Amino acid sequence: MNKLSAMETFVRIVDKGSLTAAAEALDTSLPSVVRSLASLERELGVRLLNRTTRRIHLTDDGAQYLERCRAILTAVEETEAAFSARRAEPQGRLAVTAPVLFGRRFVAPMVSDFLERHPKVSAELVFVVRVVNLVEEGIDVAVRIGHLRDSSLVAIPLGRVRRVVCASPDYLRRAGTPRHPRELRAHACVRHTGLARGDWHFRIGRRTVTVPVKAVITCSDIDSSLHACVSGCGLGMFLSYQVASYRKEKKLSYVLEDFETEPAPVQVVYAQSRLVTGKVRAFVDECVSSLRRARFD
């Protein structure tokens, strides 16, 4: 008896609801399906299905065996497809998610280059502030900042970003440059709710300390927060990639660099339970190649 073939026949019987329908779906004869099921039950020593003239019902053993069969058949299919994918040209829809500003600055240009080289691929970009569930929302690849809590995901490190405090040169001339986190009590601050909903955190020696800040403006939108900081409204706390271009143009300056908390990892992520198709494998390789060369600070 071909065990995999028998498993497939059993699954098809359950899915189709009858032995006759399963035989039609498998393009084989009804007696062949009956023999396959009987051989499988005899081999296992249990009854998998209770059959009447009109309906079939899974037994308790059958329900457990069905779940195992689906997992085994899926694993075989994914293994075969994975090896085929290595030889195939990437094609189909590629869904990618990333934080909003990071996505705009780093991911979108990379996706455009990727599509130019692989014209059979189409892309959907989902740039949001929330953490997207890859499996539930049909996302192939994510670029994430921070440590992962989901052990079902495969994560490949790309780099790290700093949590920095900065201000415009004009503000620092007017209000002075803080030399220690405790001096923030005397300063006006711009709070971006996507990063710091309340107080700000710093590292002093081996300790992480929390410092309350006086927010003159609180923004949920990153661009508005950055604009307020560049305009001289006060000190702001951001991730380093968010302010890198402003720092390069000397519109913002870093302060309190000696007290920054541990940098956050940047990772490309995909679901371990999913088939790694040619498009996903190729795009993950692209992320590693491109983003490991990028500067996030």
Side-chain angles (χ1 to χ4, degrees):
M1 178 181 62
N2 185 317
K3 187 65 69 67
L4 282 177
S5 177
M7 287 181 176
E8 184 180 5
T9 298
F10 170 58
V11 171
R12 196 62 64 93
I13 293 169
V14 175
D15 288 345
K16 294 299 181 180
S18 75
L19 280 74
T20 302
E24 293 177 356
L26 293 168
D27 194 24
T28 188
S29 66
L30 177 59
S32 176
V33 170
V34 173
R35 285 195 300 272
S36 176
L37 177 61
S39 297
L40 190 58
E41 289 180 326
R42 188 167 52 252
E43 177 86 10
L44 295 171
V46 298
R47 179 174 287 277
L48 300 174
L49 296 171
N50 287 321
R51 300 180 287 282
T52 67
T53 55
R54 293 187 177 182
R55 300 186 62 185
I56 61 172
H57 301 275
L58 279 167
T59 65
D60 290 341
D61 288 328
Q64 294 182 32
Y65 191 65
L66 176 66
E67 183 179 349
R68 300 290 181 86
C69 285
R70 291 194 193 280
I72 291 169
L73 293 171
T74 297
V76 170
E77 180 183 346
E78 291 183 351
T79 300
E80 292 175 346
F83 280 92
S84 298
R86 292 181 179 179
R87 301 187 299 271
E89 169 69 16
Q91 59 184 313
R93 169 185 171 273
L94 176 72
V96 182
T97 187
V100 178
L101 192 57
F102 192 96
R104 290 180 198 159
R105 293 189 177 176
F106 296 101
V107 178
M110 182 175 59
V111 169
S112 296
D113 292 342
F114 183 79
L115 296 182
E116 188 174 346
R117 291 196 304 278
H118 302 289
K120 293 183 180 180
V121 177
S122 62
E124 178 181 346
L125 304 183
V126 182
F127 297 155
V128 290
V129 295
R130 64 184 175 87
V131 176
V132 174
N133 186 303
L134 303 191
V135 175
E136 290 182 3
E137 301 190 40
I139 300 296
D140 297 300
V141 181
V143 178
R144 289 189 175 166
I145 299 171
H147 297 282
L148 298 183
R149 298 179 182 178
D150 190 343
S151 60
S152 69
L153 300 177
V154 177
I156 302 174
L158 303 173
R160 302 193 300 173
V161 297
R162 299 158 55 193
R163 189 180 295 251
V164 299
V165 177
C166 57
S168 69
D170 178 62
Y171 175 84
L172 295 176
R173 280 193 295 270
R174 286 188 286 109
T177 300
R179 305 297 178 186
H180 192 278
R182 61 173 171 263
E183 296 177 21
L184 290 176
R185 300 173 187 269
H187 282 268
C189 294
V190 175
R191 180 180 289 138
H192 171 46
T193 56
L195 181 64
R197 296 184 179 275
D199 301 333
W200 291 355
H201 301 283
F202 296 90
R203 188 181 67 238
I204 300 179
R206 295 183 178 180
R207 296 183 301 117
T208 298
V209 299
T210 301
V211 177
V213 296
K214 180 176 64 178
V216 295
I217 181 170
T218 300
C219 305
S220 61
D221 173 66
I222 182 62
D223 289 326
S224 299
S225 303
L226 288 166
H227 182 267
C229 202
V230 171
S231 298
C233 292
L235 296 159
M237 176 176 277
F238 302 98
L239 295 177
S240 53
Y241 77 87
Q242 296 171 334
V243 299
S245 61
Y246 296 103
R247 186 191 189 201
K248 185 177 181 180
E249 296 169 2
K250 302 189 184 303
K251 293 180 179 180
L252 290 174
S253 299
Y254 289 173
V255 299
L256 301 175
E257 293 184 78
D258 292 339
F259 301 96
E260 293 175 9
T261 54
E262 197 68 25
V266 180
Q267 302 168 98
V268 59
V269 175
Y270 58 93
Q272 190 172 22
S273 60
R274 279 197 168 180
L275 167 65
V276 182
T277 59
K279 65 185 178 187
V280 170
R281 187 181 303 278
F283 186 71
V284 168
D285 290 344
E286 178 78 11
C287 287
V288 172
S289 174
S290 177
L291 294 182
R292 280 184 177 173
R293 298 195 305 267
R295 292 293 303 273
F296 302 138
D297 57 358

